[in-house]
Amino acid sequence: MPISAINYGASSSSDSGASAAHDPANRPGDGNSSADDPYAHDDAHDDAHDELDLLGDDPLQPDLSSPFSFKRKQKPRHITGFLSRPARLISALASPFASRASHDIPPPAQRLGSLPTHPHDNDTHPGASGPGAGPDYHAEGPGRRVAYEDLTAIDWIFEYTKERQRQRALHHHTTPHRTSSPSSSSPPPPPPPPTPPTSQSSTLPALLSHIRRLLDASQVWVVLILSGLAVGALAAAIDVATDWLGDIKHGFCSPSVDGGRFYLSKTACCYGYDDEAICAGWTTWGEAFAGRRGGGGAGLWVVEGATYLVLGVTFAVAAAVLVREFAVYARHSGIPELKTVLGGFIMKRFLGVWTLVTKSLGLVLAVASGMWLGKEGPLVHVACCCANLFIKLFPSINNNEARKREVLSAAAASGISVAFGSPIGGVLFSLEQLSYYFPDKTMWQSFVCAMTAAMVLQAFDPFRSGKLVLYQVTYSSSWHGFELFPFIILGILGGIYGGLFIKANMRVAKWRKSASWLPGPVVQVAVVACLTALINYPNHYMRAQNSDLVSNLFSECSQTLDDRFGLCHEGAASAGTIILLLFAAVLAFFLAAITFGLQIPAGIILPTMAIGALTGRAVGIIMEIWQRNHPAFIAFRSCEPDIPCITPGTYAIIGAAAALAGVTRMTVSIVVIMFELTGALTYVLPIMVAVMLSKWVGDAFSRRGIYESWIRFNEYPFLDLSEETTPIPDMPASQIMTRIDDLVVLTAAGHTVASLAAILDAHPHRGFPVISDPRDAILLGYISRAELAYTLHAATRPPRALPPETEAFFAHQPLADPRSTLDLRPWMDQTPLTLPSRCRLHLAVSYFQKLGLRYVLFVDRGVLQGLLTKKDVWYVLNGAEETRRTSGMQEGEGLGAGATAPPGFWSYVTGPRRRPLSQLAGYRSL
């Protein structure tokens, strides 16, 4: 029986990805196909990503001659000395004429056609002469690839290599050579004879080449501009629909008064009124049921409260049903998943059409329900879904996962641009919070996409106020030096709020995941929505939509025409108002902590801003009362006598910025967003001070923001580039890697198709190292499970239809018949990145973080020593808290909620026994 594999011991992981146990798309009811079948096909969700992703070849054709060579060809030797100068002079003089006839010389991509059509043809040792001489160029390189499976990591190096080859082929007016002969060993037909050089024949191809490259370069800009247009229009529609559904809980626009229409919101129905309280066209539900003259005040209050409760719960349940039935990835804000995707992870259907439709409709219903959630974060997910929809129109982008992520990073900026009316803030948000790889060109692309989306939103003007967002304000007064002290207090309070909120939200999420007696997600949403309505309605600050509340809290009393909450009335600056504001902030804290994480589209940015604005407005009123009662105090001597000294709205702005910084741990983007909201350059300094202090105080609780905490909770294999967030243990990589004794490796020869298929059936690993022989263990390369499975599947089907006993090998076999053997070298990565086993773990982690690797092989003088995967690194960086429990869990399962490491875990990993981390974790899916 041929030797097929060597199992040195208990095996572990071999390629990067994630366990299907953690895939929310595998839950019942979402219609996903099995992830275990690499050939399963889903017509409803099929897209260009499922197509074969190769280096310019179709793997259905077994002819493996077209990959580019990675060897640099030897330059021709020139005669040195004096005799070489005339030759150089003649070459320089003849260069203009050589450019005309350059089309006579086939470019490198065409010259590949002269290579043998099978890896065994004309293979000789380097340095041989005669026909067929030369090394086996076409069998080298990173190997061919099939489409990435769901919940696996992409190979950034391979994707950029593929893009460079595509650009090289485009530069030489050709495309990579494709052959249609599956088993022929004869070379392709020679190129047509050269045509005589003429001016027209040389100018036209050059012009066509420039046009072709221009069109290729413009594809990204077309996608971004179309995405900006779509996001701006969709955001305007979401704003209008949310405004109307949010107002419908309180009343409706009467068609019988002033030409009103039922589908108009309160703002549109009362357009032209400075005070909406005197608007005759708006009818509350209490007035509609009890009559304008009939019924007492208590009866009206009960009727309106019941309607508010019923409609709010209905909207929330409808959003939850949409998510459960049509797109489970439409839940939450989507930013943790988006960060993971941009970091190089595959989540199919996360950016699909159904996710876009469900997210948009569900977001309107969820926000209109009155629950403490926002639409700002989910709009980023919506923007990336729009961009992914337009990416499918251009295969050159859609078939390259690295380029696709660059475009998605740029498109994400448009989501924040329309959410806050802040194009520059959106660019910085994408740079600071979302993007894993953000080159200079992406910043410019982000700016164009964000600007386009903002212009479209401005053109639609959904609020009929000329504002991009409802809570956009302008301040006419500046701040005083003594106000820096309360601003500092707000910054500290924002950091405390952020730290406490993250801990509370994570506790609720872990409890919700571990408590088996809890009802289903739809019932949970209904219960929280009912509780929220019962708490919100008695407090008029919490009863309104979050955007209306934030708008009134930010407003300056001197410019307020409609004082909806009575914050600017005579006597509003009182202890009762302060107590109500702080009480509303505390209640909102608990409601937001239990709401964020439900199975509905929900963001956390706007609720956080509302809570911070409530606290900031209360502090501003305290300062206003103090200054009004003690105007002679030494700190207030700088106030002008006839102008209000304290503007409570500015305190609300700074409180909102501090709370947002405490929850998300962002800095620069928050300052710019708040500056663009207020348009007041004078308030940049206090906002910066509050944001800085909030981040420092929040980092004292935990260095992870709310999005990073949810990434950790969901166990997404995302490696943060910040060492402060993820400290790296100081240890050798050999103590963490999976040693060769625990690996299943493949030898260079001695395989058959049947034996390799048996190995795939017996071992669930995502890939296998390839060595020369069992004794020397010289590393030859690495082959992923997906490529090996596909090659075996295609080889045993027509047109080749090889029998199971066919010989297969990973190294050059000069006597093998290419028609009756299976050469797996083109599918093997023959240039994997390696490190010495004695290197420090910090160096290995840097490889994963900076290069986006899926795995690293450790060798000493060419001898394989071990393997380290992305998931292993993730376990190490997340510490003992996220390590699998050794008891009560089956092999291959994911980490349970709230799992903690067993006692002595780190001594178990790093002690003298040096057991591999992956063996302790039992993780098989990397």
Side-chain angles (χ1 to χ4, degrees):
M1 180 177 180
I3 300 175
S4 59
I6 303 172
N7 190 349
Y8 287 96
S11 177
S12 74
S13 57
S14 296
D15 195 1
S16 61
S19 175
H22 304 305
D23 182 13
N26 284 337
R27 298 184 180 181
D30 62 349
N32 288 344
S33 59
S34 174
D36 295 330
D37 185 8
Y39 317 109
H41 186 74
D42 189 356
D43 293 332
H45 302 288
D46 189 24
D47 55 15
H49 176 75
D50 295 324
E51 296 178 359
L52 297 171
D53 194 4
L54 308 174
L55 280 175
D57 268 283
D58 185 359
L60 293 174
Q61 307 297 337
D63 186 359
L64 309 177
S65 64
S66 60
F68 288 90
S69 170
F70 284 80
K71 282 193 175 182
R72 185 181 299 274
K73 295 189 176 182
Q74 296 289 337
K75 295 183 178 180
R77 295 183 178 182
H78 299 283
I79 303 176
T80 59
F82 175 77
L83 295 178
S84 65
R85 295 179 184 177
R88 295 179 184 177
L89 179 60
I90 294 174
S91 176
L93 293 176
S95 58
F97 304 97
S99 61
R100 292 185 179 180
S102 60
H103 65 281
D104 297 340
I105 304 175
Q110 291 181 354
R111 289 199 296 270
L112 286 175
S114 62
L115 292 175
T117 58
H118 196 277
H120 304 303
D121 295 343
N122 298 338
D123 276 343
T124 59
H125 297 286
S129 59
D136 189 17
Y137 289 106
H138 55 281
E140 301 178 0
R144 302 181 181 185
R145 305 291 171 87
V146 298
Y148 295 105
E149 296 181 6
D150 196 14
L151 300 177
T152 57
I154 70 170
D155 190 338
W156 289 86
I157 297 179
F158 171 81
E159 297 297 329
Y160 280 115
T161 301
K162 183 170 64 175
E163 175 61 17
R164 286 195 300 269
Q165 293 184 355
R166 192 188 70 84
Q167 290 292 338
R168 182 171 60 182
L170 183 67
H171 181 75
H172 290 287
H173 318 163
T174 62
T175 56
H177 179 67
R178 310 184 79 144
T179 58
S180 57
S181 175
S183 58
S184 173
S185 60
S186 60
T195 58
T198 61
S199 176
Q200 182 178 2
S201 62
S202 61
T203 304
L204 184 59
L207 180 61
L208 294 177
S209 174
H210 285 295
I211 294 177
R212 190 180 298 111
R213 279 181 282 178
L214 179 62
L215 293 177
D216 182 77
S218 64
Q219 291 180 2
V220 173
W221 298 104
V222 172
V223 170
L224 294 176
I225 292 176
L226 291 177
S227 301
L229 295 174
V231 171
L234 197 55
I238 291 175
D239 287 338
V240 172
T242 303
D243 201 17
W244 177 67
L245 286 180
D247 290 338
I248 208 70
K249 301 197 307 295
H250 304 279
F252 61 94
C253 186
S254 177
S256 60
V257 181
D258 295 337
R261 296 291 186 271
F262 181 79
Y263 55 81
L264 295 179
S265 65
K266 187 176 183 179
T267 303
C269 184
C270 301
Y271 184 73
Y273 288 89
D274 293 337
D275 188 358
E276 293 183 355
I278 61 176
C279 176
W282 185 257
T283 303
T284 64
W285 290 111
E287 295 171 346
F289 286 116
R292 290 184 179 272
R293 300 290 182 182
L300 290 176
W301 190 86
V302 171
V303 171
E304 293 173 359
T307 307
Y308 180 91
L309 173 65
V310 172
L311 291 179
V313 174
T314 302
F315 293 157
V317 171
V321 171
L322 280 176
V323 170
R324 186 191 65 179
E325 296 297 331
F326 295 99
V328 70
Y329 277 131
R331 62 182 182 173
H332 303 169
S333 67
I335 291 183
E337 290 79 9
L338 190 58
K339 284 172 64 72
T340 307
V341 169
L342 295 181
F345 199 59
I346 296 293
M347 288 186 181
K348 294 183 179 180
R349 294 174 292 279
F350 174 70
L351 300 174
V353 177
W354 279 108
T355 304
L356 173 61
V357 175
T358 306
K359 190 88 170 187
S360 302
L361 296 178
L363 187 60
V364 171
L365 294 168
V367 174
S369 68
M371 301 176 71
W372 278 83
L373 48 86
K375 62 178 180 292
E376 282 69 19
L379 280 178
V380 179
H381 187 190
V382 170
C384 290
C385 288
C386 293
N388 186 66
L389 183 64
F390 294 114
I391 284 174
K392 296 180 184 298
L393 302 176
F394 303 98
S396 63
I397 304 176
N398 188 49
N399 294 335
N400 192 291
E401 295 296 333
R403 291 193 69 197
K404 184 187 297 184
R405 277 150 180 78
E406 291 182 7
V407 176
L408 293 177
S409 297
S414 62
I416 292 297
S417 175
V418 297
F420 292 101
S422 174
I424 301 176
V427 175
L428 295 178
F429 180 88
S430 178
L431 171 62
E432 184 176 4
Q433 180 63 245
L434 289 178
S435 300
Y436 190 84
Y437 177 67
F438 200 89
D440 294 338
K441 62 178 180 180
T442 305
M443 179 172 292
W444 168 234
Q445 294 168 356
S446 302
F447 177 78
V448 172
C449 188
M451 179 195 66
T452 304
M455 290 178 61
V456 173
L457 184 63
Q458 181 73 44
F460 279 102
D461 192 13
F463 304 108
R464 295 189 178 183
S465 60
K467 299 178 180 179
L468 291 176
V469 289
L470 192 61
Y471 41 87
Q472 188 172 357
V473 295
T474 302
Y475 294 122
S476 59
S477 59
S478 183
W479 59 285
H480 303 82
F482 67 87
E483 292 182 284
L484 195 59
F485 179 72
F487 294 159
I488 292 175
I489 294 178
L490 287 175
I492 296 174
L493 291 177
I496 295 174
Y497 159 75
L500 294 178
F501 178 83
I502 293 174
K503 289 185 176 296
N505 185 246
M506 289 295 102
R507 290 286 182 89
V508 171
K510 292 177 181 178
W511 171 76
R512 188 183 289 132
K513 186 175 182 179
S514 60
S516 58
W517 55 269
L518 286 176
V522 177
V523 179
Q524 294 181 26
V525 170
V527 171
V528 174
C530 182
L531 178 64
T532 302
L534 293 175
I535 294 176
N536 281 353
Y537 192 76
N539 192 323
H540 67 283
Y541 292 122
M542 304 176 65
R543 187 187 310 172
Q545 294 293 114
N546 285 338
S547 56
D548 293 332
L549 175 62
V550 171
S551 176
N552 283 268
L553 292 173
F554 284 0
S555 63
E556 187 178 1
C557 287
S558 61
Q559 300 179 359
T560 301
L561 299 177
D562 183 14
D563 188 11
R564 182 174 179 181
F565 297 97
L567 294 172
C568 297
H569 289 170
E570 188 69 26
S574 61
T577 304
I578 296 172
I579 293 175
L580 285 177
L581 288 171
L582 294 178
F583 185 64
V586 173
L587 291 178
F589 171 85
F590 290 104
L591 290 177
I594 65 175
T595 302
F596 188 68
L598 293 174
Q599 304 298 311
I600 53 176
I604 196 58
I605 294 179
L606 190 58
T608 298
M609 292 178 60
I611 295 171
L614 286 168
T615 307
R617 189 84 184 198
V619 173
I621 293 176
I622 292 174
M623 293 296 298
E624 184 181 9
I625 295 175
W626 186 13
Q627 189 273 335
R628 184 181 60 191
N629 296 333
H630 303 85
F633 185 67
I634 186 172
F636 303 138
R637 292 180 181 177
S638 60
C639 297
E640 299 181 11
D642 299 332
I643 301 177
C645 184
I646 303 295
T647 304
T650 61
Y651 290 77
I653 281 279
I654 293 173
L660 191 56
V663 170
T664 63
R665 306 299 161 81
M666 295 186 300
T667 53
V668 179
S669 56
I670 293 179
V671 175
V672 175
I673 288 173
M674 292 300 172
F675 163 67
E676 291 187 274
L677 280 177
T678 61
L681 185 61
T682 56
Y683 285 95
V684 170
L685 180 59
I687 293 175
M688 292 176 65
V689 172
V691 167
M692 175 189 67
L693 291 174
S694 177
K695 179 171 173 55
W696 281 349
V697 174
D699 286 344
F701 288 87
S702 173
R703 292 189 178 274
R704 292 184 176 90
I706 184 66
Y707 301 129
E708 291 77 17
S709 298
W710 272 94
I711 289 175
R712 185 183 185 188
F713 175 77
N714 291 326
E715 300 181 38
Y716 296 141
F718 176 77
L719 298 181
D720 201 329
L721 295 177
S722 174
E723 294 185 7
E724 296 181 357
T725 306
T726 53
I728 302 174
D730 186 16
M731 62 177 67
S734 57
Q735 296 186 5
I736 298 299
M737 71 180 184
T738 302
R739 305 176 68 181
I740 189 173
D741 297 339
D742 303 304
L743 286 174
V744 171
V745 298
L746 302 177
T747 55
H751 305 280
T752 63
V753 172
S755 65
L756 290 176
I759 293 173
L760 292 177
D761 294 336
H763 304 287
H765 314 308
R766 295 281 183 159
F768 304 91
V770 179
I771 60 175
S772 58
D773 55 73
R775 185 178 63 179
D776 296 334
I778 301 299
L779 178 66
L780 299 181
Y782 179 92
I783 186 167
S784 180
R785 181 186 188 89
E787 281 72 47
L788 181 58
Y790 176 81
T791 307
L792 297 179
H793 176 80
T796 55
R797 300 302 190 273
R800 297 199 70 182
L802 297 176
E805 62 274 8
T806 300
E807 179 187 358
F809 47 84
F810 297 91
H812 174 49
Q813 303 295 321
L815 300 181
D817 186 359
R819 294 166 295 184
S820 59
T821 58
L822 181 61
D823 188 355
L824 295 170
R825 285 180 297 162
W827 298 94
M828 179 180 66
D829 183 2
Q830 301 185 59
T831 58
L833 287 180
T834 60
L835 285 173
S837 60
R838 300 180 300 276
C839 73
R840 307 300 294 179
L841 180 62
H842 189 282
L843 178 61
V845 172
S846 298
Y847 268 50
F848 283 99
Q849 291 176 332
K850 303 301 190 302
L851 300 178
L853 302 181
R854 310 168 80 184
Y855 53 85
V856 168
L857 297 167
F858 295 90
V859 297
D860 288 338
R861 297 184 179 180
V863 179
L864 178 65
Q865 301 295 324
L867 171 73
L868 189 63
T869 69
K870 188 175 183 179
K871 190 65 176 183
D872 293 336
V873 173
W874 184 89
Y875 272 116
V876 172
L877 297 188
N878 283 271
E881 294 179 359
E882 298 296 334
T883 306
R884 169 185 299 278
R885 287 175 293 199
T886 56
S887 61
M889 299 187 70
Q890 297 297 324
E891 191 175 14
E893 290 182 347
L895 183 68
T900 56
F905 164 74
W906 285 110
S907 61
Y908 180 85
V909 174
T910 61
R913 298 173 62 186
R914 298 199 303 175
R915 297 286 294 278
L917 176 65
S918 53
Q919 183 177 346
L920 172 65
Y923 207 91
R924 302 292 191 186
S925 63
L926 278 179

